[in-house]
Amino acid sequence: MARIRQLVGDRCYLSPPLDEDAISWADWLADLRVSIPLGDEAYTPTSAAAQLAWLRDPGEHCRLFTIALVEDDRPIGRGVLFGLDFVNRTGELGLFIGDPSCWGRGLGREAVTLLLDYAFSLLNLNSIMLGAFAFNERALACYSSVGFREIGRRRAARVIAGRTYDAVLMDMLAADFQSPFVARLMQGD
């Protein structure tokens, strides 16, 4: 089945997930380099079947995407908007680039921007929140670079290998975001 390019950036895009993406997701989450920074995923083994069940039914308050490369349509990660509250116009963002060969190339930053554009420009949300552990400096730098601001910390929220780490909470408001992709579509470019 062909991948659908729903929201396209310069180097990656968001696609509704295909059933076969569940295999990649399970493989990536089995890699502790991917799952430890995410949180509970490192402590709960998963399977392609479990990922497929979620892929097929993420729930009413969730929007789930595969992140793929523009150049060859290869899936490299997963993005999700969850906890969507359309009355108060809030939601949460989660993302990972599961393919280590794509780390450090700015693809996470572009994928976060695509998810924000979807959330603010298409879902008409006003506030997006996320959390990351203090040891995940790469993710925190990525989120800050697109405009997220720290709104608080839960001290010593994660214990890994006998060390404690804070959970850093961040948010962004629609007023702080400039649409780089959807706005261009609306201008006819």
Side-chain angles (χ1 to χ4, degrees), residues 7 117 121-122 179-189:
L7 192 52
D117 211 359
S121 301
L122 298 175
S179 170
F181 304 108
V182 174
R184 186 170 58 209
L185 292 172
M186 297 310 295
Q187 294 170 354
D189 292 342

Side-chain angles (χ1 to χ4, degrees), residues 28-50:
W28 292 329
L29 291 169
D31 183 342
L32 290 178
R33 296 173 302 166
V34 175
S35 61
I36 285 175
L38 298 177
D40 293 340
E41 289 85 347
Y43 308 105
T44 308
T46 190
S47 65

Side-chain angles (χ1 to χ4, degrees), residues 3 13 25-26 29 39 54 57-58 65 71-72 83 107 109 116 122 125 128-129 131 135 156 166 175:
R3 193 167 296 286
Y13 65 92
W25 295 357
L29 291 169
W54 184 50
D57 185 18
F65 298 96
E71 66 189 38
D72 61 7
L107 293 163
R109 179 181 173 175
L116 289 170
L122 298 175
L125 298 179
I128 297 293
M129 186 176 80
F135 66 82
D166 292 353

Side-chain angles (χ1 to χ4, degrees), residues 25-98:
W25 295 357
D27 287 346
W28 292 329
L29 291 169
D31 183 342
L32 290 178
R33 296 173 302 166
V34 175
S35 61
I36 285 175
L38 298 177
D40 293 340
E41 289 85 347
Y43 308 105
T44 308
T46 190
S47 65
Q51 292 298 307
L52 180 60
W54 184 50
L55 179 154
R56 289 183 173 170
D57 185 18
E60 178 182 348
H61 301 284
C62 182
R63 301 296 184 273
L64 187 57
F65 298 96
T66 291
I67 302 162
L69 292 176
V70 167
E71 66 189 38
D72 61 7
D73 298 314
R74 181 170 52 103
I76 61 166
R78 182 178 73 199
V80 60
L81 295 167
F82 63 100
L84 299 174
D85 178 342
F86 295 106
V87 173
N88 295 299
R89 299 176 52 213
T90 62
E92 296 183 55
L93 184 147
L95 169 127
F96 69 83
I97 301 297

Side-chain angles (χ1 to χ4, degrees), residues 97-144:
I97 301 297
D99 182 342
S101 71
C102 294
W103 294 351
R105 296 174 39 194
L107 293 163
R109 179 181 173 175
E110 184 170 80
V112 169
T113 302
L114 289 167
L115 283 166
L116 289 170
D117 211 359
Y118 186 86
F120 292 136
S121 301
L122 298 175
L123 297 182
N124 198 34
L125 298 179
N126 185 57
S127 174
I128 297 293
M129 186 176 80
L130 59 77
F133 296 109
F135 66 82
N136 196 351
E137 294 173 7
R138 196 172 62 202
L140 292 169
C142 170
Y143 300 141
S144 293

Side-chain angles (χ1 to χ4, degrees), residues 14-28:
L14 301 181
S15 173
L18 303 175
D19 283 358
E20 64 248 30
D21 293 337
I23 296 168
S24 297
W25 295 357
D27 287 346
W28 292 329

